[in-house]
Every structure is written in C-alpha cells, then in structure tokens.
C-alpha cells in the first residue's frame, strides 16, 4: 500500500493498493485501446481508462520490466493479502496504521520490488 502524496491524490484515498508485477506477466484481455498513459513526473508514467478514469498501473522508466498494478482495478479474485506499506512517512496525518504490517520510508526499501 503506497502512501505517497501522488498516489493519495490519484486515488482520492489514504493510499493506493498496488502490486509490482513483471511486464512480461501482464496483458490486457480487452480494452487496451481506451488506456491512456501520461507522465506524472519525469520518468514516471501513470495509466488510466479514458472512459471511466480508473487508474490501472504506473511504471518507471528506470524499471522497464516492472509495472505497479492498481489492485482495485481488477475484477478477478485475489488470493493474497497486503504485505507492507511504502512511503509510510508520507501518510496523511489523519491515517492510523492499525494492521501491524511493516512500513517502509521508500519504494526501494520494500522487500518485493
């Protein structure tokens, strides 16, 4: 779960629930033609649906083999649970961590990326 200010603004929530996945393991079944990418900051692309506005993934030019998939956009069952928080120091001052999961100050500190 990412608490950076960009993810909070993009999601309109306390955090974005993301999963790092390999680009080679990702494909659109339908709807790729309505996906739009934009560069939110230099070297960082965010993808969303042009029709409904739903965020789908982000990617970094510095990590071309990895996408950060927005888990809330999936319609298939997910059998894993969140495992950590990133950019925890940037969390909204009103957010209270109560789940006992590890917290990391940066993306690079997190164990799965």
């Amino acid at each position: 779960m990412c608490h950076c200010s960009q993810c909070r603004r993009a999601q309109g929530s306390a955090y974005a629930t993301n999963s790092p996945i390999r680009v080679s393991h990702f494909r659109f079944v339908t709807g790729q033609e309505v996906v739009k990418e934009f560069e939110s900051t230099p070297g960082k692309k965010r993808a969303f649906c042009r029709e409904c506005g739903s965020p789908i993934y982000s990617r970094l030019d510095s990590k071309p083999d990895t996408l950060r998939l927005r888990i809330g956009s999936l319609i298939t069952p997910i059998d894993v649970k969140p495992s950590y928080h990133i950019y925890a120091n940037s969390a909204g001052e009103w957010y209270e961590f109560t789940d006992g999961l590890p917290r990391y100050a940066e993306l690079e500190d997190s164990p799965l990326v």
Side-chain angles (χ1 to χ4, degrees), residues 16-30:
T17 304
N18 306 315
S19 181
I21 62 166
R22 295 187 194 286
V23 170
S24 61
H25 294 168
F26 179 79
R27 69 180 174 91
F28 286 97
V29 177
T30 62

Side-chain angles (χ1 to χ4, degrees), residues 1-2 4 20 43-44 59-63 66 68 84-88 103-113:
M1 294 171 283
C2 182
C4 78
K44 182 175 187 174
R59 63 184 181 86
L60 298 171
D61 289 346
S62 62
K63 297 182 179 187
T66 303
R68 291 182 66 217
Y84 56 90
H85 297 269
I86 58 173
Y87 295 101
R103 294 180 232 162
Y104 299 94
E106 301 286 333
L107 176 64
E108 289 74 21
D109 295 341
S110 62
L112 298 179
V113 177

Side-chain angles (χ1 to χ4, degrees), residues 6 37-46 58-60:
Q6 287 181 3
E37 279 193 357
F38 75 99
E39 191 165 21
S40 59
T41 56
K44 182 175 187 174
K45 312 297 192 303
R46 291 181 179 272
S58 66
R59 63 184 181 86
L60 298 171

